[in-house]
Amino acid sequence: MAAGVFLPGGVLTSGRVLQTSKNKLKFRAVGGLPQGAFPSYASYVVEGTIDLKTHSGVATKNVFAGPPEAMSTIALPGLSRTIRITEVEDSGSVLRVKGVVDDRSQLRQGESPLVDITIDSGRDMASSSFLNSEVSLKLE
Amino acid sequence: MDARVDITDVYAFAAQEEDDEEEFSRTALVLNVNPLTLASAFDPDAIYEVLVDTDADATPDITFKTRFSTVGSNGRQRATVVRAVGADANSRDFSGKVIIKNAPVSFGREERIAERKDFKFFAGVRSDPFFFDLLGFLAGFKFTGSDFFADKNVFGTVLEVPNSALGTNPDIGVWSRVLIPAKDLETPGNGELVQIDRMGRPAINTVFNHGADKVTFNTIEPSGDRTTVTTTGKTFLANFEDVLGSFGYDAGSAENIAKILLPDILTFNFNSNAGFLNGRKLTDDVIDIELNLVTKGAVTTDGVGPHTDLLDEFPYLGRPHGIGEKDEQD
């Protein structure tokens, strides 16, 4: 069996995504911001728990000062989001997660409350948007 | 890094008197620390320094050193400032001649200013004068039109000196550093003081250095900026040239610009108030200038401008957000 594959019934094997019980998965993914030519100034952390049976769960997004290799515990104000997971699509080693930010006070003006998170356990990668820019994250 | 000793910005500008607009006889030196005011006081074990190079050798000839008392049971903290010259300017101790003694730290909205002879000094919580669309930068230059720092505070120290205290050559270099006891490091050392942070021009370390090299850059002296070897096996100077080259500069231009940026010192002619790259005023749009320069014109502006809460007179930094504003309105 290849590492990092979601099997029917929600069984997943990957060192980067923890299966905390039969149907529950825990993940944490980190990426540097900005991405591209400049060195990272901050770290984008997306983490959560997913119930593969009920296709529900909770995730959070935070931006911490410092690059991933020297991330601080200082969350930049105004950038934390709590996401209620509403949909989980399981296709092989990739989970496509949709959610919503119920607390609209967390959102910036014009920011959509709808959130997409892709978890690719085969590549130990994840992705999600930050201010409408898709950010690549590394599963931890 | 401990926020108390985390430098946010350093500024050097002509402190013009309104009725004397053509004369530049005094200079304001501003050192801001404690981003987002995460800490509640200055570090009493640290020495906060503004260093001045008077002969363009990237070593300090005159240093203004500030040390703070512990916070008393009454919640008060006090500062003493010395001016050190010669060997004392780079001695990594609190040697020097006292120019300000027991100045009160302003933890409230109103500024408490200390004056002694020709020197003025302020230390305390203030509105952060730095302006930048940080979120747009983090999103990969998709600027939002919003200044992340518009409602943020920092701890500021402002020292206003007669230009005679900066030496006789008006072309000086200015930078700041913070020294802490080595015992306070994550890997504790002996009793000596070590440099935990330093800054000359804004955002240089942020923009050019990766990972562990950022830490190294904070701990070396400007005289080693060009020659110190980084984790890439290349010098900081070569790394800077690589970054500039990635934005389309040819090798010769990249080298020339890198040599302007290193050593990381704020060059300043104290007979001029031209602003950045001549010193740095609180209103200078340093991010636009640097973005334009580094990206070879690909990014010209982040779309935000100077804060409007600055004071016309000493200590120049605006009053803090969220502290005593109601009292002022009343």
Side-chain angles (χ1 to χ4, degrees):
Chain A
M1 180 167 57
V5 174
F6 292 96
L7 297 176
V11 179
L12 171 102
T13 57
S14 167
R16 309 288 182 189
V17 184
L18 295 176
Q19 185 174 9
T20 57
S21 65
K22 190 178 175 186
N23 293 306
K24 290 206 171 151
L25 294 176
K26 201 170 178 182
F27 72 96
R28 176 182 163 91
V30 180
L33 294 176
Q35 303 210 315
F38 281 111
S40 299
Y41 173 87
S43 300
Y44 190 33
V45 179
V46 182
E47 56 192 328
T49 305
I50 302 168
D51 188 323
L52 292 168
K53 190 175 180 184
T54 61
H55 290 189
S56 63
V58 176
T60 59
K61 292 182 175 188
N62 287 287
V63 179
F64 294 97
E69 62 274 20
M71 184 169 46
S72 74
T73 56
I74 302 162
L76 298 184
L79 297 178
S80 297
R81 309 282 183 268
T82 302
I83 301 144
R84 176 170 55 85
I85 293 171
T86 56
E87 207 177 316
V88 181
E89 186 186 315
D90 179 350
S91 56
S93 64
V94 178
L95 278 183
R96 289 194 171 76
V97 178
K98 292 182 184 298
V100 63
V101 178
D102 288 322
D103 180 358
R104 303 298 161 94
S105 70
Q106 294 180 351
L107 301 174
R108 292 168 52 79
Q109 192 172 9
E111 180 180 347
S112 170
L114 304 177
V115 174
D116 290 332
I117 303 167
T118 300
I119 303 168
D120 185 343
S121 63
R123 295 171 51 236
D124 282 339
M125 298 295 287
S127 66
S128 191
S129 67
F130 173 77
L131 297 181
N132 299 322
S133 292
E134 200 64 13
V135 175
S136 291
L137 308 159
K138 201 168 185 321
L139 286 171
E140 291 190 333
Chain B
M1 187 186 302
D2 182 340
R4 297 177 300 173
V5 295
D6 189 352
I7 298 169
T8 62
D9 286 285
V10 59
Y11 302 81
F13 54 91
Q16 276 179 278
E17 300 293 336
E18 275 185 20
D19 57 353
D20 200 9
E21 289 186 0
E22 298 305 316
E23 286 292 321
F24 303 107
S25 60
R26 297 177 65 78
T27 292
L29 302 166
V30 179
L31 167 58
N32 289 342
V33 298
N34 194 12
L36 311 176
T37 48
L38 295 164
S40 59
F42 290 96
D43 182 354
D45 292 329
I47 298 175
Y48 299 78
E49 296 185 341
V50 176
L51 306 100
V52 179
D53 173 19
T54 64
D55 54 8
D57 64 355
T59 59
D61 301 292
I62 300 166
T63 300
F64 299 96
K65 309 175 182 179
T66 302
R67 183 159 233 174
F68 294 89
S69 69
T70 54
V71 179
S73 56
N74 55 6
R76 291 184 181 162
Q77 190 171 34
R78 292 190 170 272
T80 295
V81 185
V82 299
R83 177 177 178 269
V85 299
D88 286 345
N90 203 18
S91 60
R92 299 198 174 201
D93 57 29
F94 200 54
S95 57
K97 186 179 175 187
V98 174
I99 56 171
I100 296 287
K101 197 171 183 182
N102 290 326
V105 174
S106 302
F107 289 119
R109 184 163 180 78
E110 292 304 316
E111 47 278 357
R112 303 172 74 192
I113 296 166
E115 290 189 56
R116 188 165 185 248
K117 295 184 178 174
D118 285 338
F119 297 95
K120 289 183 184 178
F121 179 76
F122 166 87
V125 62
R126 292 274 104 179
S127 166
D128 188 348
F130 184 57
F131 50 98
F132 181 35
D133 182 357
L134 177 65
L135 303 190
F137 173 69
L138 295 180
F141 298 108
K142 292 182 178 173
F143 291 117
T144 67
S146 170
D147 174 8
F148 180 80
F149 297 91
D151 60 352
K152 306 295 188 295
N153 292 332
V154 289
F155 275 17
T157 69
V158 187
L159 179 66
E160 191 175 299
V161 304
N163 287 346
S164 59
L166 300 173
T168 54
N169 177 5
D171 291 307
I172 61 173
V174 176
W175 72 101
S176 61
R177 74 179 178 189
V178 181
L179 307 174
I180 63 168
K183 66 178 177 56
D184 292 344
L185 295 174
E186 285 182 18
T187 307
N190 295 322
E192 77 274 22
L193 290 168
V194 294
Q195 179 178 304
I196 187 73
D197 199 8
R198 59 111 177 197
M199 180 183 280
R201 294 195 176 108
I204 295 298
N205 199 12
T206 301
V207 167
F208 286 95
N209 294 324
H210 289 268
D213 292 336
K214 286 182 189 290
V215 177
T216 301
F217 195 78
N218 280 334
T219 58
I220 63 174
E221 301 200 10
S223 56
D225 280 356
R226 291 184 183 177
T227 54
T228 300
V229 177
T230 70
T231 55
T232 66
K234 297 180 178 179
T235 61
F236 279 108
L237 186 70
N239 283 353
F240 277 41
E241 290 172 22
D242 287 348
V243 172
L244 292 162
S246 73
F247 284 101
Y249 283 103
D250 61 53
S253 300
E255 181 183 359
N256 289 339
I257 295 170
K259 283 183 174 175
I260 291 171
L261 299 175
L262 294 177
D264 181 19
I265 290 176
L266 199 53
T267 50
F268 180 46
N269 180 310
F270 59 61
N271 286 332
S272 165
N273 69 345
F276 196 69
L277 300 166
N278 184 59
R280 182 183 177 189
K281 295 191 280 192
L282 299 172
T283 52
D284 286 338
D285 202 333
V286 294
I287 291 296
D288 280 6
I289 294 167
E290 287 192 350
L291 280 177
N292 209 339
L293 178 71
V294 172
T295 67
K296 204 182 177 195
V299 181
T300 56
T301 180
D302 66 343
V304 298
H307 294 173
T308 56
D309 59 354
L310 302 170
L311 305 182
D312 291 334
E313 56 189 13
F314 191 88
Y316 309 107
L317 299 173
R319 296 194 170 102
H321 304 281
I323 297 176
E325 286 173 330
K326 185 174 180 300
D327 296 339
E328 191 168 79
Q329 285 163 9
D330 293 345

